[in-house]
Amino acid sequence: MAASSRSSRPLPKLLSPSHLVPLDLSTSWCCTPHALGGHATSTHSHSHPSSPARSAAADSMDPPTGGSSSSSSSTYATPPPPSYAPSSYPSSYTKFNSALNAGLLNPMSPPPLPLDKTRSSPTLFDMMANEQDYHPRTAAGGGGGIHSIPAPQQPPPPPHHHHQLQPARSMDRQMLLQDRIADLIGSCSPGNQFNDADSSDVRLTLSSKDGLSVTLCVHRHILVAHSRFFAAKLSDRWSKQQRTLPHIVEISDCDDVEVYAETLRLMYCKDLRRRLMREDVNKVLGILKVSAAIVFDAGVLSCLEYLEAAPWAEDDDEKVAALLTQLHLENSGAGEVLKRVSLELAPSAVVEEAEVDGSCSGGGNAGGGEEVLLRLLQVVLEGKDEKARREMKGLVSKMLRENSTSRGGAIGGDLRKESLYSACNGCLSLLRDQFVRAAGGDQSEVSQIARQADNLHWMLDILVERQIAEEFLRTWAMQAELAEMHRKVPAIHRYEVSRVTARLFVGVGKGQILVSKEARCQLLSTWLEPFYEDFGWMRRACKGLDRHLIEDGLANTILTLPLATQQDILLAWFNRFLNSGEDCPNIQRGFEVWWRRAFWKRNSEPEQPPRLRITAICENS
């Protein structure tokens, strides 16, 4: 009954141009937009005069029957059953099909006739031909029609949005700073009292110019002992005037809070030089700047020793020269550092390098653990089967590395520095004896030269990994007698010796071995010529040899010397390379850096960095 009453009710005519017009009754529907001129324009009388079925469908459409009674108010009407007779296709489809066949399937036929551009309701062919002129259609809110309205452009955010984001960004940066400081504190060795709240008597707040701040728990006696700035600010008289502990101190307008915290942590380190070996040049320059500002003499000296011995990138030349010129540290040894990039500096007194003992006296087990490791080391060094020796070298190296890591990073773990150097001296003594015999004509055990050189190369890798290879380099640089006998031994037996020299070049060039300028000069003076003579054999005979790594190490080692010394070595290399070709290492990059340093940048004025400003604010708790 309900269905019959709905069907008997007359349907209003869809006078709005937003009704649905069937384009292809078997596949799709074409949606026509509303007229925007204030009156409805017919979509049929001009375009399809010969389609009565189409006109009738537009004037009246039967509503859906059956269970879909809730959709009686929708303007979407159910289309009539599709007809597949040729006469039932709409004219727009026929024109589209004809144009497609004429223009695509038969390229020689003329193009289709131009379409009527005055149509208010475009066909599918019009829409495809002018696709760029149409915007995506959006559905109307509830009337059942679909409007083609361009999406409005989003206005720029009001100015106050930026101010709302600023606190969030500051909070993110503050949290990131706190994470970095936590990592810095977490890397301290066990027993270090840096940021120990229980034993500290000063609460030091570091705040930057952009509002970031961090608070550290430090000790007054350590600050006073290492820094003349703090000795003046936190004097005994000042301390007695404070009524409660801890004392509150603030350093404001810091350029980099993290660098300040790193500098303060160095006051708690016994081996500043070893600690700085983990940093890059930019970080060390920042620490040097802060150390000079707070008159932390040990920090200044350690930073200058690092800069004098470590390799730099070419881009760091101006940074180093500008900072050292600004800080006026000539009396502390800055002149020796500047000699690497300038020929115009007057000779100055060489700062004697402070010898720092790398051995760890606390917590080491001198009992059975060290004896077992030393015995394993000796067995590998004296083994005769080469394949087994290679496998056991990897095993022992892994054991030493894990043992050192498990003991909190102490040098050598259970195996002390003295034990390692004792093994190295034994191998060096055997190598020297074999060279003497081979140079005298006794070739019976000449193969032992390569074996002992391989042992020294392995021991050097262990020392470099533990950051205690400086003494090895000095000892190797003084082997002038061994280098003199080098050319008297056939190259097939001696080239392994030059692998030791190459490993030292790589260590110095990568900043893994930091020694004085004199030691580096002596190393090159003693072993550079033998290294040149054996390079061709090394390149052909050593499997897996990284030629470019060795060449970069040699170039960087040369570039750590004063500019005049660089010139002598590199000009001699230039002549040798032109006569030897592939049998000579290619250090062209180092040659180019020297050339630019010597002749391009001598007259350029370095940019002066902003001056450091430190203020201390002391308050009573």
Side-chain angles (χ1 to χ4, degrees), residues 415-429:
L415 198 57
R416 295 177 300 158
K417 173 182 176 180
E418 292 78 9
S419 300
L420 291 172
Y421 271 99
S422 176
C424 290
N425 292 333
C427 295
L428 182 58
S429 178

PDB file of all heavy atoms in Angstrom, residues 415-429:
ATOM      1  N   LEU A 415      95.183  -6.255  30.457  1.00  0.00           N
ATOM      2  CA  LEU A 415      96.515  -6.265  29.849  1.00  0.00           C
ATOM      3  C   LEU A 415      97.070  -4.849  29.866  1.00  0.00           C
ATOM      4  O   LEU A 415      96.545  -3.953  29.220  1.00  0.00           O
ATOM      5  CB  LEU A 415      96.435  -6.782  28.406  1.00  0.00           C
ATOM      6  CG  LEU A 415      97.750  -7.250  27.778  1.00  0.00           C
ATOM      7  CD1 LEU A 415      98.389  -8.345  28.611  1.00  0.00           C
ATOM      8  CD2 LEU A 415      97.508  -7.742  26.362  1.00  0.00           C
ATOM      9  N   ARG A 416      98.114  -4.646  30.618  1.00  0.00           N
ATOM     10  CA  ARG A 416      98.638  -3.300  30.820  1.00  0.00           C
ATOM     11  C   ARG A 416      99.409  -2.808  29.597  1.00  0.00           C
ATOM     12  O   ARG A 416      99.830  -3.574  28.752  1.00  0.00           O
ATOM     13  CB  ARG A 416      99.540  -3.280  32.055  1.00  0.00           C
ATOM     14  CG  ARG A 416      98.823  -3.569  33.364  1.00  0.00           C
ATOM     15  CD  ARG A 416      99.826  -3.603  34.497  1.00  0.00           C
ATOM     16  NE  ARG A 416     100.832  -4.652  34.265  1.00  0.00           N
ATOM     17  CZ  ARG A 416     102.027  -4.650  34.827  1.00  0.00           C
ATOM     18  NH1 ARG A 416     102.399  -3.643  35.609  1.00  0.00           N
ATOM     19  NH2 ARG A 416     102.881  -5.644  34.593  1.00  0.00           N
ATOM     20  N   LYS A 417      99.613  -1.512  29.575  1.00  0.00           N
ATOM     21  CA  LYS A 417     100.366  -0.884  28.497  1.00  0.00           C
ATOM     22  C   LYS A 417     101.791  -1.412  28.452  1.00  0.00           C
ATOM     23  O   LYS A 417     102.343  -1.662  27.368  1.00  0.00           O
ATOM     24  CB  LYS A 417     100.360   0.635  28.711  1.00  0.00           C
ATOM     25  CG  LYS A 417     101.247   1.422  27.764  1.00  0.00           C
ATOM     26  CD  LYS A 417     101.203   2.899  28.112  1.00  0.00           C
ATOM     27  CE  LYS A 417     102.168   3.700  27.239  1.00  0.00           C
ATOM     28  NZ  LYS A 417     102.136   5.144  27.581  1.00  0.00           N
ATOM     29  N   GLU A 418     102.413  -1.603  29.629  1.00  0.00           N
ATOM     30  CA  GLU A 418     103.783  -2.103  29.674  1.00  0.00           C
ATOM     31  C   GLU A 418     103.898  -3.491  29.060  1.00  0.00           C
ATOM     32  O   GLU A 418     104.895  -3.804  28.391  1.00  0.00           O
ATOM     33  CB  GLU A 418     104.287  -2.118  31.113  1.00  0.00           C
ATOM     34  CG  GLU A 418     104.475  -0.742  31.726  1.00  0.00           C
ATOM     35  CD  GLU A 418     103.157  -0.120  32.179  1.00  0.00           C
ATOM     36  OE1 GLU A 418     102.134  -0.832  32.163  1.00  0.00           O
ATOM     37  OE2 GLU A 418     103.159   1.062  32.537  1.00  0.00           O
ATOM     38  N   SER A 419     102.905  -4.347  29.264  1.00  0.00           N
ATOM     39  CA  SER A 419     102.939  -5.697  28.694  1.00  0.00           C
ATOM     40  C   SER A 419     102.860  -5.659  27.175  1.00  0.00           C
ATOM     41  O   SER A 419     103.559  -6.407  26.477  1.00  0.00           O
ATOM     42  CB  SER A 419     101.786  -6.530  29.271  1.00  0.00           C
ATOM     43  OG  SER A 419     101.885  -6.635  30.678  1.00  0.00           O
ATOM     44  N   LEU A 420     102.002  -4.784  26.642  1.00  0.00           N
ATOM     45  CA  LEU A 420     101.885  -4.666  25.189  1.00  0.00           C
ATOM     46  C   LEU A 420     103.183  -4.154  24.570  1.00  0.00           C
ATOM     47  O   LEU A 420     103.642  -4.669  23.538  1.00  0.00           O
ATOM     48  CB  LEU A 420     100.728  -3.734  24.839  1.00  0.00           C
ATOM     49  CG  LEU A 420      99.311  -4.250  25.143  1.00  0.00           C
ATOM     50  CD1 LEU A 420      98.290  -3.156  24.923  1.00  0.00           C
ATOM     51  CD2 LEU A 420      98.986  -5.455  24.276  1.00  0.00           C
ATOM     52  N   TYR A 421     103.789  -3.154  25.186  1.00  0.00           N
ATOM     53  CA  TYR A 421     105.029  -2.619  24.633  1.00  0.00           C
ATOM     54  C   TYR A 421     106.199  -3.583  24.811  1.00  0.00           C
ATOM     55  O   TYR A 421     107.143  -3.575  24.007  1.00  0.00           O
ATOM     56  CB  TYR A 421     105.346  -1.266  25.277  1.00  0.00           C
ATOM     57  CG  TYR A 421     104.708  -0.121  24.533  1.00  0.00           C
ATOM     58  CD1 TYR A 421     103.527   0.446  24.971  1.00  0.00           C
ATOM     59  CD2 TYR A 421     105.279   0.366  23.358  1.00  0.00           C
ATOM     60  CE1 TYR A 421     102.934   1.489  24.277  1.00  0.00           C
ATOM     61  CE2 TYR A 421     104.694   1.399  22.662  1.00  0.00           C
ATOM     62  CZ  TYR A 421     103.524   1.961  23.114  1.00  0.00           C
ATOM     63  OH  TYR A 421     102.928   2.988  22.409  1.00  0.00           O
ATOM     64  N   SER A 422     106.131  -4.421  25.820  1.00  0.00           N
ATOM     65  CA  SER A 422     107.164  -5.446  25.960  1.00  0.00           C
ATOM     66  C   SER A 422     107.111  -6.431  24.790  1.00  0.00           C
ATOM     67  O   SER A 422     108.150  -6.821  24.229  1.00  0.00           O
ATOM     68  CB  SER A 422     106.990  -6.181  27.287  1.00  0.00           C
ATOM     69  OG  SER A 422     107.916  -7.238  27.406  1.00  0.00           O
ATOM     70  N   ALA A 423     105.883  -6.811  24.390  1.00  0.00           N
ATOM     71  CA  ALA A 423     105.740  -7.702  23.235  1.00  0.00           C
ATOM     72  C   ALA A 423     106.197  -7.005  21.953  1.00  0.00           C
ATOM     73  O   ALA A 423     106.837  -7.621  21.087  1.00  0.00           O
ATOM     74  CB  ALA A 423     104.291  -8.160  23.115  1.00  0.00           C
ATOM     75  N   CYS A 424     105.885  -5.720  21.814  1.00  0.00           N
ATOM     76  CA  CYS A 424     106.318  -4.976  20.628  1.00  0.00           C
ATOM     77  C   CYS A 424     107.843  -4.895  20.550  1.00  0.00           C
ATOM     78  O   CYS A 424     108.431  -5.079  19.461  1.00  0.00           O
ATOM     79  CB  CYS A 424     105.727  -3.563  20.656  1.00  0.00           C
ATOM     80  SG  CYS A 424     103.949  -3.480  20.384  1.00  0.00           S
ATOM     81  N   ASN A 425     108.486  -4.636  21.666  1.00  0.00           N
ATOM     82  CA  ASN A 425     109.947  -4.546  21.661  1.00  0.00           C
ATOM     83  C   ASN A 425     110.591  -5.881  21.308  1.00  0.00           C
ATOM     84  O   ASN A 425     111.631  -5.927  20.638  1.00  0.00           O
ATOM     85  CB  ASN A 425     110.436  -4.072  23.029  1.00  0.00           C
ATOM     86  CG  ASN A 425     110.047  -2.631  23.301  1.00  0.00           C
ATOM     87  OD1 ASN A 425     109.879  -1.835  22.378  1.00  0.00           O
ATOM     88  ND2 ASN A 425     109.891  -2.289  24.579  1.00  0.00           N
ATOM     89  N   GLY A 426     109.971  -6.983  21.727  1.00  0.00           N
ATOM     90  CA  GLY A 426     110.501  -8.297  21.354  1.00  0.00           C
ATOM     91  C   GLY A 426     110.435  -8.522  19.854  1.00  0.00           C
ATOM     92  O   GLY A 426     111.399  -9.012  19.240  1.00  0.00           O
ATOM     93  N   CYS A 427     109.296  -8.173  19.238  1.00  0.00           N
ATOM     94  CA  CYS A 427     109.171  -8.320  17.782  1.00  0.00           C
ATOM     95  C   CYS A 427     110.147  -7.397  17.045  1.00  0.00           C
ATOM     96  O   CYS A 427     110.749  -7.792  16.036  1.00  0.00           O
ATOM     97  CB  CYS A 427     107.734  -8.019  17.350  1.00  0.00           C
ATOM     98  SG  CYS A 427     106.500  -9.168  17.974  1.00  0.00           S
ATOM     99  N   LEU A 428     110.315  -6.189  17.524  1.00  0.00           N
ATOM    100  CA  LEU A 428     111.224  -5.249  16.881  1.00  0.00           C
ATOM    101  C   LEU A 428     112.671  -5.717  16.975  1.00  0.00           C
ATOM    102  O   LEU A 428     113.452  -5.591  16.015  1.00  0.00           O
ATOM    103  CB  LEU A 428     111.074  -3.865  17.514  1.00  0.00           C
ATOM    104  CG  LEU A 428     111.913  -2.741  16.925  1.00  0.00           C
ATOM    105  CD1 LEU A 428     111.612  -2.558  15.437  1.00  0.00           C
ATOM    106  CD2 LEU A 428     111.661  -1.437  17.680  1.00  0.00           C
ATOM    107  N   SER A 429     113.042  -6.311  18.099  1.00  0.00           N
ATOM    108  CA  SER A 429     114.402  -6.827  18.256  1.00  0.00           C
ATOM    109  C   SER A 429     114.665  -7.980  17.284  1.00  0.00           C
ATOM    110  O   SER A 429     115.732  -8.052  16.643  1.00  0.00           O
ATOM    111  CB  SER A 429     114.624  -7.273  19.702  1.00  0.00           C
ATOM    112  OG  SER A 429     115.910  -7.814  19.870  1.00  0.00           O
TER     113      SER A 429
END
